[in-house]
Amino acid sequence: MTGSRGSGTVGTGADRDVLLATKLRPPPLRDGFVARPRVFASLADAVSRELVVVSAPAGFGKSSAISEWAARCGTPVAWLSLDDADNDPVRFWRHVAAALDVARPGLAAAVAARSGGLSTPSYHAAVAALVNELAESAETVVLVLDDYHVVDSAAVHASLTDLLEHLPAALRLLVATRADPPLPLARMRARGRLAELRAEDLRFTVAESGALLGAATARSVPPEATAALAARTEGWAAGLQLAALSLARRTDVERFVAEFSGSNRFVLDYLTEEVLDGQPADVRRFLLETSVLERLSGPLCDAVRGRDDSQQLLEQIEQANLFLHPLDDVRRWWRYHHLFADLLRARLAREQPGRVVVLHRAAGDWYARHRLADQAVHHLLAIGDHERAADIVGEHAETRFRRREAATLYRWLAALPDELLRLRPHLCATKALAALVSGRVEEVEPLLAEVKGSPDAGPGLGPVPAVVALVHAELALRTGSGGAAVRHARDGLALVDRADGYLEYFLRYDLAAGFLLEGAADAAEPLLDELVVHPWAARADPFFAARTLSLIGWMRVVQGRLDEALRIYRSALDTWARPADRTHLPDAGVAHARLAQILHLRGELDAAAEQAEAAVELCRRLGRPRWQVTALVVAARVRHARGEHDRATEALDEAGRLAAGSGVAAPIAASVGVQAARIALAHGRVDEVAQWARARGLAPADEPHCPREPEYLLLARVLVRRQSQQAVELLGRWHDLAEAQHRTGSVVEIRVLQALAHAELGDRADAATLLVEALALAAPHRQLQVFVDEGAAAAALLRELLVGRRLERLDGGRAVPQAFLSALSAAFDRSGHPLLPAARRGAVAAPGLVEPLTAREKEILSLLADGRPNRAIAGELVISVDTVKRHVTHVLDKLAATNRTEAVARARALGLLS
């Protein structure tokens, strides 16, 4: 906000929450404020706990007491006054970050940089980012959430609970509310982490009541009257303040005290009438007319009242202590005490019911002119002006999606009558997308049915059929139907251009994702390359490109280009992380999981385990079920490969519970069962896996469909053991598909399984040929684990290839580097299925040797490499020439060589000689 004092000027940018600053300021202490050392001490003691709940009905002085403590405590305090709009979890956490930024400058920008979600809410990431930002802080900050009772969003409650579970040592949370919030209070109370102040703690004592009445009336109130008022109001701050306002104009104190009694509601009604009736006519009229406003400024009140004296009246009313609180330091914005505002609105509705509509409409129009959609929609919905509200919602739909405030958009649209939405298909389609993004999947199809065949009309995200296509594409991706996603995305893209921003970008993204889900990496690649630098994404939100980068990394894994994938994910984490604290974007959880997958494929199990555990921890904190399932399945696979079988089962159990809920795409949910079946098969439980395959509806003759490849390759493993010919036929079809789609990673795995199937059929020659092809394809990117995971059967086949010179004599064998074979041999050794026979102490073993060289034979080999004749060797080693000849013969036999020169060359190739 800019301008001179009293101007009330606001910005006009639709993206700016220009009223946010008014929510970040504690109520100021008024002149004559009555300090309450007793309450101050209670609050000072309470904030030693992690959570403080100040819970009392309206008018008990919660905010004033906390504001006094905040002003004098000497501890940094971040203040956020909540309202209905904070039921959008994305907005709630953005506002929390803004509040903390007042106490910790720079924090809001850092959190925003690390919690930028995409097409789904990012509040879990915001919690994680806040925790990490404050984790290293040495100075405690207290976050005050005032009026928390207005929050009824389960997502906000859940995410705040998440914060409490991971609360950094430097953060304390103070919640002021009219009713206990649905937070884990009982658990925190039992653990000594909760402090509570309630109505009994906040009631004014007789002495405090006397101080308040004396300060407000500027005279001494007799002790008997003070005691009576304290008793009649039961120490209720609002009643005492109203009583003081009435007493200020009266001389007959005793009569005044005697005139009212009973409940707080009676006291309020009586004293409000006293206060209002005692005001000048212009002030009384102003109070009633402006009571419809949540916040007040001079220009806004002028527009609502049709006058130009509002600024002066606001300042006059504040000076008269009529429950008007300034919201900034320069007196541009105010608000009424919530209880007083409720009473004024009730009086306005009773006295001037027709005026209410006029006032709300004027307020809505003023906010709409200033591009403040939240407040405009609020006022228009309050009077049932659904047509005008719908216009504003349509104008701001893309902005809300871009800011990831789908919950706000959905709330607006849900408040509009169904009949109106049917007449405005662009809003009905937008509501379907908002419902999908907000997790209300069950509402999507009925909404789409309403717009089927509807004409394209009205502002919004873009052409209605294109919005519908995007929703269908998103639904298809969630169910694992890449082909349907491709079709719907193509249909939508035919109707849009770059001007359609959000809609056009996500249609392109879903098209690429659909192609990749179907295994068509070649078709996805150019789309993903373009999306990284898409002009709208770069302009609107840099994290759109980050999301695309993550998908490109997975595409490289599918293509078997593990080195590139490794570089992409490591580079992404370096880009997304601040070196000081490694705080990550939401996508970083997936990046860690993908790194773990890649490192597992390369046989780097210790490094894979480190990445997998980081993925699990981060994804748990971010709270996205699909991400958690992905991370847990990867962790289970890595743990099993490391022999940590119980921990692998624990991970799969947790993943299974999450996958049973909503929001997890079908292929991701299926991955839990696939990994469990792989582990069962590794332990020889073939019957169990065969039964699982039947339950999944898998049959050997089924046509290949890429999203279900992991399941069918497990069926193939069962068939290898039981019906090898069927395995050969099934694997042949899957190989042809994978090769046509250039999915090298899958081709390697399928070739290994084909080799095992042919070996079971007794066709060792074809088995060897297939295994050599797999080795040649896997070697450039060090894809080791695909062989190791097949256990003893694969080890036996490889052992036949690696003795003598059999591998080299097969087509493609020379393309397999010795370094890869050595790494493969070491990996099999770690798995308990060694490829080479055990060597005696001092002996040298290597892939390609018929059997290990003894220590003496290694010495002989080194001297042969130096060109020494037998006699010279005998002299140097002090042995007979006949003994040298015998050793040389053994060396040649073990190296499968016919002469010394060939033996030395072979030894160098095997890495036995430097």
Side-chain angles (χ1 to χ4, degrees):
M1 293 175 286
T2 59
S4 61
R5 175 180 171 176
S7 69
T9 303
V10 297
T12 58
D15 292 335
R16 295 182 58 199
D17 192 349
V18 296
L19 294 180
L20 176 57
T22 67
K23 295 159 58 72
L24 308 181
R25 186 176 185 273
L29 300 179
R30 300 174 175 277
D31 293 338
F33 174 82
V34 176
R36 305 176 69 193
R38 173 180 59 87
V39 178
F40 184 99
S42 296
L43 283 168
D45 179 64
V47 294
S48 64
R49 310 290 177 87
E50 295 178 9
L51 172 64
V52 181
V53 173
V54 181
S55 180
F60 267 86
K62 299 182 292 294
S63 299
S64 297
I66 299 169
S67 182
E68 178 199 6
W69 171 81
R72 301 175 181 175
C73 68
T75 300
V77 174
W79 188 285
L80 177 59
S81 296
L82 300 168
D83 53 42
D84 287 340
D86 290 303
N87 279 290
D88 185 320
V90 174
R91 175 176 300 192
F92 175 88
W93 286 106
R94 189 171 70 247
H95 289 178
V96 167
L100 286 166
D101 192 71
V102 175
R104 291 282 183 274
L107 182 139
V111 169
R114 288 160 177 80
S115 63
L118 301 165
S119 63
T120 51
S122 60
Y123 45 91
H124 297 292
V127 173
L130 277 173
V131 169
N132 287 332
E133 283 295 326
L134 293 169
E136 303 301 323
S137 177
E139 186 178 23
T140 298
V141 60
V142 178
L143 171 62
V144 176
L145 298 178
D146 196 21
D147 294 325
Y148 191 79
H149 53 270
V150 303
V151 176
D152 57 17
S153 165
V156 171
H157 297 319
S159 56
L160 192 60
T161 298
D162 186 37
L163 175 66
L164 289 169
E165 293 296 333
H166 301 91
L167 201 70
L171 182 62
R172 296 290 182 270
L173 183 62
L174 195 159
V175 174
T177 177
R178 295 182 186 178
D180 282 3
L183 301 174
L185 302 186
R187 184 165 72 246
M188 297 193 73
R189 187 183 294 118
R191 296 176 181 176
R193 299 170 59 194
L194 170 67
E196 300 167 88
L197 275 74
R198 303 201 172 267
E200 291 304 317
D201 303 298
L202 296 173
R203 294 185 191 281
F204 274 65
T205 64
V206 172
E208 291 169 342
S209 298
L212 184 153
L213 293 169
T217 60
R219 63 180 178 175
S220 176
V221 179
E224 298 82 3
T226 298
L229 286 172
R232 298 281 174 83
T233 61
E234 298 181 345
W236 185 39
L240 287 166
Q241 288 171 323
L242 281 166
L245 287 171
S246 296
L247 274 175
R249 297 180 293 104
R250 302 181 63 155
T251 57
D252 51 344
V253 176
E254 291 79 6
R255 179 180 176 185
F256 169 78
V257 172
E259 283 180 347
F260 74 89
S261 63
S263 68
N264 285 342
R265 175 51 58 182
F266 174 85
V267 172
L268 269 183
D269 289 343
Y270 175 85
L271 292 179
T272 302
E273 188 161 338
E274 281 273 312
V275 170
L276 281 178
D277 288 347
Q279 299 303 318
D282 60 337
V283 172
R284 187 179 188 280
R285 183 169 56 250
F286 180 93
L287 290 171
L288 292 177
E289 291 180 334
T290 58
S291 66
V292 301
L293 302 173
E294 298 289 339
R295 294 175 179 80
L296 302 89
S297 72
L300 171 58
C301 293
D302 283 344
V304 169
R305 300 170 58 237
R307 301 175 65 92
D308 60 3
D309 59 348
S310 298
Q311 183 68 31
Q312 295 77 11
L313 282 169
L314 283 166
E315 294 178 3
Q316 178 184 335
I317 290 167
E318 183 194 354
Q319 291 169 3
N321 287 324
L322 286 175
F323 293 89
L324 185 67
H325 303 307
L327 296 176
D328 55 31
D329 293 325
V330 290
R331 298 308 196 267
R332 292 198 198 103
W333 289 92
W334 287 265
R335 73 165 174 85
Y336 290 120
H337 186 287
H338 297 313
L339 195 59
F340 191 58
D342 289 343
L343 293 165
L344 292 175
R345 289 168 192 150
R347 180 63 60 86
L348 175 66
R350 186 166 69 244
E351 293 183 2
Q352 305 177 57
R355 186 79 172 134
V356 174
V357 174
V358 175
L359 296 170
H360 271 298
R361 180 170 287 113
D365 289 342
W366 187 89
Y367 278 122
R369 288 196 303 274
H370 289 82
R371 303 289 293 169
L372 296 169
D374 291 299
Q375 293 76 18
V377 171
H378 165 77
H379 285 286
L380 295 169
L381 290 177
I383 58 173
D385 190 350
H386 298 127
E387 294 282 347
R388 180 79 173 103
D391 290 340
I392 295 172
V393 172
E395 293 168 6
H396 290 266
E398 183 175 294
T399 299
R400 297 299 155 177
F401 273 121
R402 181 166 53 79
R403 293 172 63 175
R404 297 168 296 281
E405 293 178 2
T408 293
L409 185 58
Y410 178 85
R411 178 168 54 85
W412 289 346
L413 291 164
L416 298 175
D418 292 341
E419 297 77 13
L420 177 63
L421 290 179
R422 292 190 189 101
L423 295 174
R424 299 195 182 203
H426 63 288
L427 291 182
C428 198
T430 300
K431 185 180 179 182
L433 183 58
L436 179 64
V437 173
S438 300
R440 298 174 172 87
V441 181
E442 70 283 354
E443 297 183 26
V444 174
E445 289 294 352
L447 287 166
L448 293 180
E450 291 287 350
V451 300
K452 186 175 182 180
S454 297
D456 181 21
L461 299 177
V464 171
V467 178
V468 172
L470 176 61
V471 176
H472 279 306
E474 289 281 337
L475 288 172
L477 290 174
R478 291 178 182 229
T479 58
S481 179
V486 167
R487 290 193 301 275
H488 290 302
R490 278 177 166 163
D491 290 344
L493 283 170
L495 301 169
V496 299
D497 55 35
R498 288 288 172 89
D500 291 306
Y502 177 99
L503 182 59
E504 189 261 352
Y505 177 88
F506 271 103
L507 283 167
R508 289 187 181 278
Y509 182 91
D510 285 359
L511 180 61
F515 277 133
L516 197 53
L517 188 58
E518 290 296 305
D522 289 351
E525 187 163 6
L527 289 164
L528 292 172
D529 288 343
E530 179 186 355
L531 286 178
V532 169
V533 293
H534 190 282
W536 184 85
R539 179 175 68 251
D541 194 329
F543 302 108
F544 285 85
R547 186 189 197 200
T548 305
L549 188 65
S550 182
L551 198 58
I552 290 174
W554 182 241
M555 179 178 64
R556 297 297 182 232
V557 174
V558 170
Q559 294 170 329
R561 294 153 67 175
L562 301 187
D563 292 341
E564 290 181 50
L566 203 60
R567 284 195 297 271
I568 286 171
Y569 285 119
R570 282 176 172 164
S571 174
L573 287 177
D574 287 341
T575 300
W576 299 337
R578 194 171 68 185
D581 59 13
R582 309 303 293 174
T583 302
H584 297 313
L585 288 173
D587 301 76
V590 177
H592 281 295
R594 299 305 192 203
L595 278 174
Q597 286 178 289
I598 296 164
L599 293 167
H600 170 265
L601 287 170
R602 291 162 60 96
E604 300 173 36
L605 298 185
D606 291 342
E610 182 179 346
Q611 293 293 333
E613 301 309 322
V616 169
E617 173 60 24
L618 185 55
C619 289
R620 276 182 183 144
R621 281 168 44 199
L622 296 178
R624 303 282 184 84
R626 62 188 177 93
W627 289 354
Q628 287 178 264
V629 171
T630 297
L632 287 163
V633 169
V634 172
R637 188 165 188 181
V638 173
R639 290 173 183 177
H640 180 258
R642 286 162 54 87
E644 301 170 0
H645 306 307
D646 290 343
R647 296 189 66 230
T649 300
E650 289 172 6
L652 287 177
D653 288 345
E654 183 181 349
R657 290 192 295 271
L658 288 166
S662 60
V664 179
I668 295 175
S671 68
V672 181
V674 170
Q675 185 55 40
R678 287 199 69 149
I679 291 175
L681 201 60
H683 288 100
R685 303 200 301 272
V686 183
D687 289 342
E688 179 182 326
V689 180
Q691 184 177 357
W692 167 85
R694 286 192 296 272
R696 293 291 295 168
L698 308 178
D702 293 343
E703 285 301 310
H705 181 216
C706 187
R708 300 195 71 181
E709 181 183 86
E711 295 177 90
Y712 276 93
L713 294 190
L714 263 174
L715 172 62
R717 289 175 170 90
V718 173
L719 295 174
V720 165
R721 291 161 171 79
R722 292 185 167 179
Q723 295 167 295
S724 302
Q725 186 56 46
Q726 284 193 11
V728 168
E729 294 167 2
L730 181 152
L731 290 166
R733 293 192 299 275
W734 280 96
H735 170 267
D736 292 345
L737 177 64
E739 189 169 56
Q741 294 178 331
H742 302 105
R743 292 187 290 109
T744 305
S746 293
V747 171
V748 172
E749 184 176 359
I750 293 167
R751 281 305 197 212
V752 173
L753 295 178
Q754 286 177 311
L756 295 177
H758 280 278
E760 285 291 326
L761 291 170
D763 187 355
R764 311 300 286 187
D766 280 352
T769 299
L770 290 164
L771 196 57
V772 169
E773 182 180 341
L775 290 168
L777 288 170
H781 297 280
R782 195 183 164 88
Q783 194 171 343
L784 296 173
Q785 201 66 28
V786 68
F787 301 93
V788 179
D789 283 348
E790 302 308 321
L797 269 183
L798 283 164
R799 192 174 299 119
E800 293 179 22
L801 281 180
L802 297 183
V803 296
R805 304 183 64 179
R806 188 176 178 201
L807 176 62
E808 294 179 23
R809 295 187 179 113
L810 291 170
D811 288 343
R814 293 185 179 275
V816 184
Q818 182 61 40
F820 178 74
L821 294 175
S822 296
L824 187 62
S825 179
F828 269 99
D829 284 347
R830 290 191 296 270
S831 75
H833 300 291
L835 299 183
L836 302 174
R840 290 177 294 176
R841 184 175 181 83
V844 178
L849 284 177
V850 174
E851 62 179 282
L853 297 175
T854 65
R856 176 63 80 184
E857 289 165 353
K858 180 64 168 62
E859 287 183 292
I860 297 289
L861 177 61
S862 297
L863 294 171
L864 288 176
D866 289 339
R868 307 285 186 87
N870 289 349
R871 189 169 296 281
I873 294 173
E876 182 164 335
L877 298 180
V878 194
I879 57 177
S880 69
V881 173
D882 287 339
T883 300
V884 171
K885 290 179 180 178
R886 187 170 64 252
H887 282 313
V888 169
T889 299
H890 291 162
V891 169
L892 296 179
D893 288 342
K894 290 182 179 182
L895 288 169
T898 58
N899 55 53
R900 294 182 177 210
T901 302
E902 188 176 352
V904 170
R906 173 82 172 144
R908 292 191 190 282
L910 295 176
L912 299 175
L913 293 170
S914 59

